[in-house]
Amino acid sequence: MKKQTPFIFISITILLLIVCCSWGIATNNTTDILSVNEQNSSNKIKMQGNIKTRGGFRSGTDPIVVEQQGTTLSILFQKDVAILLISIIGLQGEVYVATVDTSTQSTLIVPLAGLPTGNYTITFNNERGMIWGEFMI
């Protein structure tokens, strides 16, 4: 019996080591997966205001949908609202300005990397009206 005791002790030690290492690896992978999912999640920015489409006031779906995914804005023009002036304003002033013809362009990606953390307002306007929303980086 005395000769089997070290063998059993070593076997149990190796088994515990394998279980502990496997648990640590699983925990790290789970954390990595959560980090990736958090980076890939998007938040729809609530838009306010009114803008006429080429056919009257908006009805049904919103003419513009803005989603924030990390440090990127994805803008979807669901209806033709003619030519829009787009601006993003933060505490430091205007940080982004663009003009988009929604009759020919349906999406726009705006990178926000490099901007300081804080509150920002995105505005879409033309002679037909104005829509705006607020977001944080």
Side-chain angles (χ1 to χ4, degrees):
M1 281 291 266
K2 287 186 179 183
K3 290 186 179 184
Q4 289 181 345
T5 304
F7 176 75
I8 292 173
F9 177 75
I10 292 171
S11 298
I12 292 173
T13 303
I14 292 172
L15 181 62
L16 286 173
L17 183 61
I18 291 170
V19 169
C20 290
C21 288
S22 298
W23 181 78
I25 291 170
T27 303
N28 288 339
N29 286 341
T30 304
T31 303
D32 292 343
I33 290 168
L34 290 175
S35 297
V36 169
N37 286 339
E38 287 173 3
Q39 291 172 357
N40 289 335
S41 69
S42 62
N43 297 319
K44 185 175 178 181
I45 296 173
K46 182 181 177 189
M47 303 305 289
Q48 302 175 46
N50 287 310
I51 197 163
K52 289 183 183 180
T53 62
R54 291 191 186 189
F57 272 100
R58 63 182 178 161
S59 61
T61 61
D62 292 328
I64 303 169
V65 175
V66 182
E67 291 188 351
Q68 180 180 7
Q69 182 176 355
T71 56
T72 302
L73 291 182
S74 298
I75 303 169
L76 174 62
F77 304 106
Q78 298 188 114
K79 295 190 176 188
D80 182 4
V81 289
I83 297 173
L84 286 174
L85 176 64
I86 303 168
S87 61
I88 298 175
I89 301 168
L91 288 176
Q92 64 276 34
E94 204 165 53
V95 295
Y96 179 86
V97 177
T99 303
V100 174
D101 184 352
T102 61
S103 68
T104 60
Q105 187 172 347
S106 62
T107 60
L108 179 65
I109 303 297
V110 179
L112 304 172
L115 293 177
T117 57
N119 297 319
Y120 292 84
T121 301
I122 185 166
T123 305
F124 302 88
N125 63 20
N126 63 13
E127 69 279 353
R128 297 172 178 261
M130 184 168 105
I131 296 178
W132 70 93
E134 296 179 346
F135 64 95
M136 290 176 47
I137 297 178

